[in-house]
Amino acid sequence: MSKRLETKHKLDRRYGVNTWGRAKSPVNKRKYKPGQHGPVGHSKRTDYGTQLAAKQLLKGYYGNVSEKKFRSYYDEAMRRRGDTAQQIIAQLESRLDAIVYRANFVPTVFAARQLVSHGHILVNGKSVNIPSYQVSVGDVITLKENAKTIPMVIQAQNNKEREVPDYLSVDEKKFEATYVRIPTFEEVPYPVKMEPNLVVEFYSRQ
């Protein structure tokens, strides 16, 4: 099993949810946590445990973002005006790999990170290979011509399981996506319940 597949399965099993809404998620068959005791023997979470779980689920959803990077999103959100939880989501959804994923250029956020890292993405006509690059409203994200025949790109085009959210405008024929506006938390199409407010509570107690 690949490292990426292990990561995806681990997150789903640990929290008992289909994190990305995937058809092959292990919790579709067994909706309880791993361990020798099966569906029993798990105690109720403390407030800290609940907040930690919310943080791990959210940062895992975006391709297992490093703790250092994820904490930097919180610190930046605290410096910005407005709701801190909303500002965290705004930064996560503005990541280049997140937009490549939302645009349905690839089937998973892990594939989106790989596509960006390997230099297959243009932002306003310039090559960008940093998955965490913050895309600005109005920026145009394009797939390079030689990347259109990559198997995972073809797979995404043939199996459109996700709808493109309204805050992106996508030209499927050109493999081009425009970041129309920063979404609110309620607009983000998470397949499971995310609680960024608990993420704020987690870091605020540090």
Side-chain angles (χ1 to χ4, degrees):
M1 184 182 291
S2 71
K3 184 176 180 181
R4 288 190 182 88
L5 196 57
E6 284 180 345
T7 301
K8 289 184 282 186
H9 285 176
K10 183 177 180 180
L11 193 66
D12 283 5
R13 288 289 311 284
R14 175 177 292 173
Y15 297 110
V17 295
N18 189 345
T19 312
W20 297 274
R22 296 173 296 117
K24 295 183 179 180
S25 172
V27 300
N28 291 343
K29 296 181 179 180
R30 184 166 59 178
K31 298 180 182 299
Y32 52 83
K33 297 179 181 178
Q36 63 178 335
H37 301 298
V40 297
H42 296 285
S43 59
K44 184 178 180 180
R45 288 196 184 110
T46 61
D47 287 346
Y48 175 82
T50 300
Q51 293 161 2
L52 175 61
K55 176 182 75 74
Q56 294 297 91
L57 186 60
L58 188 61
K59 81 186 188 81
Y61 175 85
Y62 286 93
N64 203 24
V65 177
S66 71
E67 179 58 31
K68 181 179 180 181
K69 187 64 179 178
F70 200 73
R71 175 61 192 249
S72 75
Y73 290 139
Y74 167 76
D75 292 338
E76 176 60 26
M78 287 292 291
R79 287 191 286 269
R80 295 182 179 184
R81 292 183 178 181
D83 181 74
T84 302
Q86 167 61 37
Q87 293 297 342
I88 291 175
I89 297 301
Q91 293 176 81
L92 289 169
E93 281 296 303
S94 296
R95 286 175 59 102
L96 180 56
D97 56 359
I99 290 179
V100 168
Y101 172 62
R102 294 288 184 219
N104 273 327
F105 289 167
V106 287
T108 71
V109 70
F110 296 91
R113 177 176 295 180
Q114 181 181 352
L115 198 70
V116 175
S117 297
H118 290 183
H120 295 303
I121 297 296
L122 299 173
V123 178
N124 298 329
K126 296 181 179 180
S127 183
V128 177
N129 62 0
I130 303 172
S132 63
Y133 175 85
Q134 289 285 291
V135 177
S136 300
V137 172
D139 282 354
V140 178
I141 296 84
T142 311
L143 196 64
K144 288 184 178 179
E145 191 63 34
N146 62 356
K148 296 177 182 179
T149 56
I150 294 176
M152 62 183 178
V153 173
I154 295 174
Q155 178 188 348
Q157 293 304 299
N158 292 336
N159 301 292
K160 292 184 174 64
E161 296 180 350
R162 295 171 288 110
E163 292 185 1
V164 176
D166 291 341
Y167 47 91
L168 288 181
S169 176
V170 176
D171 186 324
E172 295 182 0
K173 292 183 179 180
K174 293 182 179 180
F175 285 88
E176 184 177 280
T178 303
Y179 194 26
V180 178
R181 56 185 169 77
I182 297 173
T184 63
F185 169 59
E186 290 75 18
E187 291 178 296
V188 181
Y190 295 118
V192 297
K193 184 179 181 181
M194 294 293 181
E195 300 177 286
N197 58 306
L198 295 183
V199 176
V200 175
E201 291 177 12
F202 175 86
Y203 283 123
S204 66
R205 65 190 296 169
Q206 301 297 303

